[in-house]
Amino acid sequence: MSNNSRRDFLFKASYGVGGVALSGLMPGGGLFTTFANAASLIDPLAAKGPHFPAKVKSVIWLHMDGAPSTLELFDYKPDLIKMAGQQIPDSFLKGLKAGIRGGDGKLFVTDRTWKQHGESGAWFSDLLPNLAKQADKLAFVKSSVTIGATHDISILKLNTGDLNPGRPSLGAWIQYALGSANPDLPAYVVLYNDKKEPTGGSINWSSGFLPAVYQGTAFRPGASPILHLDRPELIAAGQQQGSLDLLTKLNRVRGAHYPEDTELQARIRSYELAARMEVSAPEAVDLSKESDATKALYGLDEDITKSYGQTLLRARRLVERGVRFIQVVSGPQDIAGDSRNWDGHNDIEENHRTHSKVVDKPIAGLLADLESRGLLDSTLIVWTSEFGRTSYGQSGTGRDHNPWGYTQWLAGGGIKAGTTFGQTDEVGLQAVGKTMDTYDLHATVLQLMGLDHLKTTFLHNGRSERPTVVYGEVVKELLA
């Protein structure tokens, strides 16, 4: 055996010893319970078996950045309309601390027209005419709650389950637990349609205390979503491969001395993946071969929907290619005033009219396209936000942040379509009855991916950590 082979063997063996210690914490549990789990001790991205048969293969996580007011979109409240302009009665503020209520206290409505749609009779405002046609595909959660009322903190909780940096995002947990279904693409991809990172930045797709290899890979908007992916023109393929081989060998030699250095392991994997992605990634995000009809379905023929439509069409193409978790952040518009995202503190009428137009047609198109291709039953779509907006006004024309009761929805495989879970009070301020916190949403998503959130664990600083932190329940009422 050569020195290099011996080093490689020792490196893999040392990595495997650590993996054996963690094998009982991996999906399936126990020592080398499956061939896939055994392979994962050497390759952390190897496909692993779920705890039980999965309902879906991929998740498209649609984050509406800035927090839309679901009182303008889904949560029809006749009493709020009748009481508009009045000071909110104290009975609706019960349990809320005066210092965090915000706003001016006067109940507020915008000029919306409401109708029921589909056999489910789901309420939609006139801001979402295209999505309304997909009403019977959706399962609404109208009693969503969270903690925190500032964007960065609540977005972090939405994605990682915690108010402080350092925990893995939901996509990282899924990639850790299930590995990759396509060795030529990342299993966890982040898409956004802005020139810079979304609110809160990359910490929202971080691997946290998990090995760094499980963090999300951000694809930028535009014709070249992955920077520096193409081989330089003056470097031949053989020359590039020789450089990569030398770099890999040097990294593995160092890795043999520092097997606990997950950043190094992630870097090695990223170089290997990047080489394969030179061929696979451009094809995966290339929309030129999509039909004109498909492009129109996503709104690529209209200026206001083109950018977000391209993002969602790429999400569908990634689903087709086995990417497990696609985190899509709705991007800002180059419009003056308070319209950069859904954060409608001022002139919420104009803000939500703009952003509804941006997302309505592309999301409806995504649902219809997935269904026509036979992919909807194996894909979970989640419309989500960091929080909602208050039923009372702010600045006369807007709404403040509301973590106490707002609407989210799910669609796709394993979901009881055409249903509604939970409700808010008569003015849409607080959830009443059974609620769904972020932890419950994460537990439900993991369940549909074939993972028990209580058994999806990782040993960190002597403690067995899980995605739902300290609590969380699967919302069975949403499951088919």
Side-chain angles (χ1 to χ4, degrees), residues 151-377:
H151 292 287
D152 285 357
I153 291 176
S154 294
I155 290 173
L156 189 62
K157 181 174 182 289
L158 172 67
N159 291 304
T160 72
D162 204 353
L163 302 176
N164 299 301
R167 292 194 66 85
S169 59
L170 180 61
W173 277 111
I174 288 175
Q175 187 174 198
Y176 156 71
L178 296 176
S180 175
N182 184 340
D184 297 333
L185 287 171
Y188 176 18
V189 171
V190 181
L191 302 174
Y192 53 90
N193 58 316
D194 187 22
K195 296 177 182 178
K196 62 180 182 179
E197 287 185 349
T199 307
S202 60
I203 197 168
N204 286 288
W205 53 89
S206 167
S207 60
F209 50 69
L210 293 176
V213 72
Y214 298 119
Q215 65 191 357
T217 299
F219 283 18
R220 300 165 187 262
S224 301
I226 308 168
L227 295 179
H228 314 302
L229 186 62
D230 296 335
R231 175 168 49 83
E233 293 181 1
L234 299 179
I235 297 180
Q239 184 181 5
Q240 182 191 49
Q241 188 59 52
S243 298
L244 289 173
D245 289 345
L246 175 61
L247 188 61
T248 298
K249 184 180 293 185
L250 293 173
N251 281 334
R252 289 195 183 281
V253 168
R254 182 170 179 80
H257 294 289
Y258 303 100
E260 74 286 352
D261 185 354
T262 66
E263 294 287 346
L264 178 58
Q265 309 308 326
R267 190 171 297 115
I268 293 172
R269 298 296 174 186
S270 68
Y271 286 139
E272 295 170 345
L273 178 59
R276 298 193 298 271
M277 283 173 61
E278 282 189 2
V279 176
S280 60
E283 185 277 333
V285 298
D286 181 11
L287 307 183
S288 64
K289 296 181 181 178
E290 296 286 344
S291 69
D292 290 340
T294 298
K295 293 177 182 177
L297 184 65
Y298 285 82
L300 270 62
D301 55 348
E302 301 176 42
D303 287 343
I304 196 164
T305 52
K306 183 177 181 179
S307 179
Y308 192 65
Q310 288 176 334
T311 302
L312 292 194
L313 184 48
R314 281 176 172 154
R316 190 221 76 204
R317 292 177 65 86
L318 292 173
V319 164
E320 287 180 307
R321 288 154 180 79
V323 176
R324 295 198 191 276
F325 195 92
I326 303 141
Q327 185 170 329
V328 183
V329 185
S330 64
Q333 300 300 301
D334 294 327
I335 299 172
D338 187 26
S339 289
R340 183 170 174 79
N341 56 26
W342 288 94
D343 195 19
H345 291 282
N346 300 284
D347 198 359
I348 197 169
E349 177 79 41
E350 176 62 23
N351 176 289
H352 278 37
R353 187 186 301 117
T354 297
H355 286 280
S356 294
K357 287 180 180 178
V358 170
V359 306
D360 176 46
K361 189 173 185 178
I363 293 177
L366 173 67
L367 291 167
D369 196 21
L370 288 171
E371 183 179 45
S372 69
R373 295 171 186 271
L375 292 171
L376 188 59
D377 287 344

Side-chain angles (χ1 to χ4, degrees), residues 111-132:
D111 187 19
R112 300 273 60 79
T113 299
W114 292 87
K115 291 182 180 179
Q116 289 177 285
H117 293 265
E119 294 183 7
S120 63
W123 287 98
F124 287 80
S125 81
D126 55 339
L127 291 178
L128 298 172
N130 293 287
L131 187 58

